[in-house]
Amino acid sequence: MAKIKKPEQAIFYQNFKGAIYGGTPEQVKNLMTAFCQYAFDNIDKPSVTPDIAMTFEMMKASVDADRKHYQEVCEQNRINALKKTGLTIAGYVQHVLDSDEYITFTVDDEEYRFALADASEATRKTLQDTYPGDFVEIEIKGGRPISIRQATECN
């Protein structure tokens, strides 16, 4: 089982200050304790009193949204790095654009453009025999697609 790293930071938004300014010292203490327990100690359901429950849920939703966004950015950065060093993308062709010099495939809403002049005869044939709906694997190196092949989807 992977060890879950404790978060080192959480964003405290300006719209939270109304609860801090308007709360009693006890409410503020309880709210900040619950916020810290959720944000830093991985306590999913810290104990909150009914008078701060709605404010805490708003703060909790912000922490969750920030973490989700951070994970999405990290994943996109990982994919971008793999595209530079070597990556194989698998998916269904959504669209094909064929010009005299290039064939461009759209797979999972991402475009991959192949220069016909740079393609081997076998790759050129595969490029010309690939249609929307086909399941393909596209090898990417140096930030550009270098090969495409028909693939079989594994379940």
Side-chain angles (χ1 to χ4, degrees):
M1 180 188 334
K3 183 178 179 183
I4 297 174
K5 184 180 173 190
K6 253 186 170 179
E8 295 181 12
Q9 61 187 3
I11 298 172
F12 190 89
Y13 289 96
Q14 183 173 348
N15 65 337
F16 298 168
K17 75 179 182 181
I20 302 301
Y21 291 174
T24 67
E26 190 65 24
Q27 287 173 324
V28 172
K29 176 185 171 201
N30 291 340
L31 184 60
M32 292 308 299
T33 298
F35 177 80
C36 291
Q37 288 174 337
Y38 185 76
F40 304 118
D41 297 334
N42 294 321
I43 297 174
D44 286 339
K45 296 182 187 231
S47 178
V48 293
T49 56
D51 55 336
I52 64 167
M54 185 170 25
T55 303
F56 173 71
E57 288 300 319
M58 176 188 68
M59 295 169 85
K60 178 182 171 196
S62 294
V63 169
D64 292 343
D66 291 340
R67 290 198 177 141
K68 181 177 187 262
H69 176 72
Y70 178 75
Q71 290 300 321
E72 290 168 353
V73 168
C74 288
E75 178 62 13
Q76 188 58 54
N77 288 343
R78 183 186 75 78
I79 289 169
N80 291 343
L82 286 171
K83 285 181 180 179
K84 290 178 183 169
T85 59
L87 169 72
T88 300
I89 300 288
Y92 290 96
V93 174
Q94 296 164 298
H95 182 72
V96 178
L97 178 62
D98 190 352
S99 72
D100 292 334
E101 296 178 36
Y102 299 97
I103 296 182
T104 304
F105 297 95
T106 304
V107 177
D108 295 332
D109 297 322
E110 185 97 21
E111 288 189 350
Y112 302 95
R113 187 167 93 165
F114 291 86
L116 292 172
D118 296 340
S120 68
E121 189 61 40
T123 300
R124 208 173 293 128
K125 178 156 177 41
T126 302
L127 291 169
Q128 293 167 342
D129 290 344
T130 301
Y131 300 97
D134 290 349
F135 191 76
V136 296
E137 290 180 341
I138 298 174
E139 186 179 357
I140 301 169
K141 268 198 176 153
R144 64 184 191 87
I146 60 170
S147 72
I148 185 169
R149 64 186 167 273
Q150 299 286 329
T152 305
E153 185 175 13
C154 296
N155 292 331

